[in-house]
Amino acid sequence: MTDDFRRAANTLLHESADDPWAWLTPSVYESARLVADAPWLGGHAERLRHLCRTVTADGTWGQDGFAFNATLSATEALLAVAGRREPADEAIERGRARAVADQGLRTLRDWLAPGGRYAAGPPATISVELIVPMLVDRINARLLAAGEPELPMPAGCATERLAAIRADAAAGRELPADIWHAWEIATPVESAHPYAGSVSCSAAGTAGWLRSAPEAESPAGRFLEELQRYGNGLVPVAAPIDYFEHAWMLNTFVWHGVPHDCPERILDRLEPELGPYGIAGGRDLTVDGDDTAAVVNALLCHGRPAGLDGLLTYWSEDHFQIYPGESIASPATNGHTVSLLHRYLAERPEQGERYGPVLRRNTEWLLDQQRADGSWFDFWHVSPYYATVCAVEALSAVEGERAESAVRRARRWVLDTRHSGGGWGVRWVTMEETAYAALILRGSTETGVTEALAAAEPVLRDGVVDAGITPLWLVKDYFAPIRVVAAAVLAARKAIVTG
């Protein structure tokens, strides 16, 4: 049985080592931006057909509760196609784009009407306060030209800031770092940009910066062509984020005792990228505290040297930030840092004077973030099961009654929130959330754990199938990192089978 888990883990790791992008679910939001802004790009016909065939009967794209950004982006893109005469748009029957766009418009009008589902504000995703007014403005410009009623602007949109960013971009002034990933909001104005390849790993941002078909030698053009070919025309929310994929998988296997043999080329890829301020989730992304903690831990656990100086640049009195100056702290990130610091000091007790106070304050902060029901929640993921598993992984190694009590409360919350048919999920049962729940319960002898894990086993039995995976992670759009989820499912299956 152990050999089976090792083979499965090694297969995932070797696939990841061979993949320069990381395997993510395709994004309707990003793919639709390419339809709207880059009809010259290879794969346009497939993206256009995809938008037309994946609209649901109720005029949305995506799953219920996760569909706002995708529906807004797809509707705007199809309105753009309906109003132009690009040869590439002839992949679908003339009039089809407008007919499908009208389905989306009807739903958007219902959502944004007074008292509608999103009139008080769209779901919280990265740069949503800028992306939504950009798309609503673009839709309304087309509706106004056709003499049709405009969409109302939802509450919470930073329309004044969007106007200021566009003015700065038009004047060639440097834009704030927090919007590089959403460069598409600054189009159609002219602006210089310092990156040579992708714009912060975003297909939409890169196409928005290019604005038109690039020269053959353009690195940005090559990035888009290679990325769309990788996805057969469709693109993910971010790419490449291979460093993120490598580190999350390796740490899942280490934390939960899944036997594996890490390919040296993964470590060779990560080690030289770890700089004085840490590492990003992929090249062309901004370095951050979360990826830094995960990569440092992965390297150290696999015999590669890695210091903590880069990570400490994100320390803020009692917790680690993902980005300096962030307004919302991440419990999941600090679960990762507590785990790393605890392991680091266990193996290097001579560093206790330097890092011991940081670990103690970081642990107290993480404990303080536990919610009344026993869970933790994190902005970067829809489900509290993700933040909770990160916290429990860290606190399970911490001695003391407060940490032990926090873990017990988390496990009780998991037991109390199981669906009647087995499995876990905040909206419905998902394989990913069920895996996290099983990992939270791992090693517990509390009453009900054995029964709960037995009921969860059928949910996890067949492993991850990407077509049925629920996108629970957040950036500009909802997505799922498929191999990262598969690693968690594998670890949970091992926990159920072997304890």
Side-chain angles (χ1 to χ4, degrees):
M1 182 65 71
T2 298
D3 288 344
D4 291 340
F5 287 112
R6 182 182 295 276
R7 279 192 293 271
N10 287 349
T11 295
L12 285 173
L13 289 171
H14 281 278
E15 287 177 354
S16 184
D18 292 336
D19 185 351
W21 300 102
W23 190 13
L24 275 58
T25 49
S27 166
V28 169
Y29 171 84
E30 294 277 322
S31 298
R33 292 302 82 224
L34 295 185
V35 168
D37 295 338
W40 43 264
L41 181 65
H44 177 78
E46 177 51 36
R47 288 186 291 278
L48 184 50
R49 293 190 192 103
H50 180 77
L51 295 185
C52 290
R53 69 173 174 257
T54 56
V55 63
T56 66
D58 59 1
T60 66
W61 284 262
Q63 294 168 312
D64 182 48
F66 305 97
F68 184 77
N69 285 9
T71 299
L72 196 61
S73 184
T75 300
E76 194 283 327
L78 291 169
L79 285 174
V81 170
R84 69 192 182 196
R85 290 295 181 265
E86 289 280 350
D89 295 335
E90 295 177 5
I92 60 170
E93 182 183 357
R94 189 171 299 281
R96 173 70 171 149
R98 182 59 206 243
V100 179
D102 283 342
Q103 292 179 257
L105 279 172
R106 284 192 292 272
T107 296
L108 290 170
R109 292 191 192 282
D110 288 342
W111 281 349
L112 298 178
R117 185 173 187 175
Y118 296 118
T125 49
I126 300 302
S127 298
V128 68
E129 74 283 1
L130 299 169
I131 288 171
V132 167
M134 176 269 290
L135 290 172
V136 171
D137 281 349
R138 290 177 67 159
I139 288 174
N140 284 344
R142 301 184 192 284
L143 295 177
L144 189 62
E148 300 177 50
E150 298 176 84
L151 288 179
M153 187 72 70
C157 291
T159 52
E160 293 183 1
R161 186 180 182 218
L162 177 61
I165 287 170
R166 286 173 163 167
D168 286 343
R173 290 189 286 268
E174 187 75 11
L175 300 188
D178 64 339
I179 66 99
W180 286 114
H181 188 60
W183 182 268
E184 64 271 21
I185 67 170
T187 57
V189 298
E190 295 283 358
S191 181
H193 194 283
Y195 287 2
S198 75
V199 176
S200 203
C201 296
S202 168
T206 305
W209 172 60
L210 283 170
R211 298 186 60 221
S212 59
E215 299 295 330
E217 66 274 11
S218 164
R222 285 200 301 272
F223 162 77
L224 288 175
E225 284 290 357
E226 291 170 5
L227 181 59
Q228 70 84 14
R229 280 200 298 269
Y230 174 83
N232 295 316
L234 306 181
V235 294
V237 290
I241 55 170
D242 47 334
Y243 307 156
F244 158 80
E245 181 180 86
H246 298 335
W248 258 249
M249 290 170 61
L250 288 171
N251 288 327
T252 293
F253 294 154
V254 168
W255 283 325
H256 299 292
V258 178
H260 63 283
D261 306 290
C262 180
E264 292 298 314
R265 61 189 185 280
I266 285 182
L267 304 176
D268 290 342
R269 188 178 298 173
L270 295 176
E271 188 177 358
E273 295 297 325
L274 193 63
Y277 299 101
I279 191 171
R283 63 184 184 274
D284 286 350
L285 279 177
T286 305
V287 294
D288 68 87
D290 200 14
D291 286 290
T292 297
V295 169
V296 167
N297 193 70
L299 289 171
L300 290 174
C301 290
H302 294 86
R304 295 295 181 96
L308 300 185
D309 288 347
L311 178 63
L312 289 179
T313 63
Y314 300 94
W315 178 244
S316 178
E317 296 185 359
D318 57 0
H319 72 282
F320 286 90
Q321 299 177 323
I322 297 180
Y323 300 106
E326 67 188 7
S327 58
I328 303 175
S330 166
T333 294
N334 287 275
H336 298 156
T337 57
V338 168
S339 292
L340 167 61
L341 288 166
H342 190 276
R343 181 185 296 275
Y344 188 86
L345 288 177
E347 297 174 355
R348 299 165 183 81
E350 71 279 4
Q351 296 291 327
E353 185 174 347
R354 182 178 184 187
Y355 297 116
V358 175
L359 174 57
R360 287 191 292 274
R361 289 158 70 186
N362 197 194
T363 302
E364 289 298 315
W365 182 91
L366 183 61
L367 287 164
D368 289 343
Q369 308 313 303
Q370 189 172 26
R371 301 195 296 184
D373 63 5
S375 69
W376 282 262
F377 183 76
D378 196 275
F379 176 75
W380 298 92
H381 200 282
V382 169
S383 175
Y385 294 100
Y386 171 71
T388 303
V389 77
C390 294
V392 168
E393 284 167 353
L395 296 173
S396 294
V398 174
E399 296 180 354
E401 175 55 29
R402 190 179 178 200
E404 293 169 4
S405 174
V407 171
R408 286 196 299 271
R409 289 174 55 212
R411 288 171 171 163
R412 176 46 52 190
W413 168 75
V414 169
L415 289 171
D416 290 344
T417 55
R418 179 167 65 94
H419 286 256
S420 58
W424 286 265
V426 292
R427 286 184 169 89
W428 53 79
V429 171
T430 71
M431 189 177 297
E432 181 178 355
E433 291 168 286
T434 299
Y436 296 149
L439 293 173
I440 292 166
L441 296 176
R442 183 172 77 93
S444 173
T445 58
E446 294 183 47
T447 302
V449 168
T450 300
E451 176 190 1
L453 293 179
E457 192 274 335
V459 179
L460 305 173
R461 182 182 301 152
D462 295 329
V464 169
V465 179
D466 64 308
I469 200 166
T470 301
L472 300 172
W473 297 64
L474 291 175
V475 282
K476 289 187 293 183
D477 196 4
Y478 299 94
F479 75 101
I482 296 172
R483 290 193 187 98
V484 170
V485 174
V489 169
L490 181 64
R493 290 169 57 200
K494 178 182 179 297
I496 292 172
V497 171
T498 66

